[in-house]
């Protein structure tokens, strides 16, 4: 693993830890600054495209304020470094809790693409795009058969 790949994967893990810990200060450090007409962007599963650092960070503040518990287990992580740009793709296996006082949990999968830029301060997140993976009962049965 290259030094760049290790650094990107470390920042990527910090990104997910910031979400789990509802740490908006850390999230703010991870995102790149807008540069003129070039603005960061984010697509949360089921949301429209968000552009601009302030709009993206506002969305994370909203998510963090309204999420009682969330945990990410990342699988199928692939990192490609192309000079000063890196693309990391992964599957987010997510476990979330219901509202306060509700003891239920929900699980889901999201395929994510995270684009990082090399900056003087290190690798920073430029674009996050999450797309939900929809599974049918047949998919679950097929997975169960493969496990046997």
């Amino acid at each position: 693993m290259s030094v760049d790949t290790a650094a990107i994967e470390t920042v990527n893990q910090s990104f997910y830890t910031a979400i789990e810990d509802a740490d908006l200060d850390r999230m703010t450090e991870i995102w790149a600054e807008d540069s003129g007409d070039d603005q960061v962007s984010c697509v949360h599963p089921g949301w429209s495209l968000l552009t601009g650092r302030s709009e993206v960070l506002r969305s994370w503040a909203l998510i963090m304020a309204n999420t009682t518990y969330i945990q990410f287990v990342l699988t199928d992580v692939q990192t490609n470094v192309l000079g000063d740009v890196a693309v990391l793709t992964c599957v987010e296996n997510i476990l979330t809790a219901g509202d306060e006082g509700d003891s239920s949990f929900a699980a889901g999968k999201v395929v994510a693409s995270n684009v990082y830029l090399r900056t003087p301060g290190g690798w920073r997140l430029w674009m996050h795009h999450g797309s939900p993976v929809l599974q049918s009962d047949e998919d679950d049965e097929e997975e169960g058969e493969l496990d046997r």
Side-chain angles (χ1 to χ4, degrees):
M1 179 182 299
S2 76
V3 172
D4 284 335
T5 299
I8 293 157
E9 290 181 5
T10 297
V11 172
N12 194 67
Q13 187 57 55
S14 293
F15 169 64
Y16 289 99
T17 300
I19 300 167
E20 291 175 343
D21 294 344
D23 186 343
L24 190 58
D25 290 336
R26 181 68 184 124
M27 182 65 71
T28 300
E29 294 171 7
I30 291 166
W31 279 89
E33 297 287 336
D34 292 335
S35 175
D37 291 336
D38 297 327
Q39 297 184 323
V40 300
S41 63
C42 182
V43 177
H44 299 292
W47 291 36
S48 297
L49 173 67
L50 303 172
T51 56
R53 182 176 162 86
S54 62
E55 187 174 357
V56 168
L57 290 174
R58 191 169 25 256
S59 75
W60 287 112
L62 180 66
I63 289 168
M64 291 174 183
N66 291 289
T67 303
T68 57
Y69 175 84
I70 192 164
Q71 180 183 5
F72 293 88
V73 176
L74 303 182
T75 56
D76 303 323
V77 176
Q78 305 242 343
T79 306
N80 295 293
V81 181
L82 309 159
D84 291 337
V85 177
V87 177
L88 184 147
T89 58
C90 62
V91 175
E92 303 170 353
N93 299 279
I94 305 169
L95 180 66
T96 59
D99 295 329
E100 286 189 42
D102 182 354
S103 61
S104 66
F105 285 85
K109 285 186 179 186
V110 171
V111 175
S113 299
N114 297 323
V115 178
Y116 291 90
L117 297 179
R118 186 190 318 264
T119 71
W123 290 96
R124 296 293 181 261
L125 188 57
W126 181 252
M127 188 272 306
H128 168 76
H129 185 157
S131 181
V133 176
L134 304 178
Q135 285 189 301
S136 68
D137 291 339
E138 290 175 8
D139 292 337
D140 292 338
E141 288 172 11
E142 288 174 12
E143 286 181 8
E145 290 173 11
L146 293 175
D147 291 339
R148 292 183 201 162

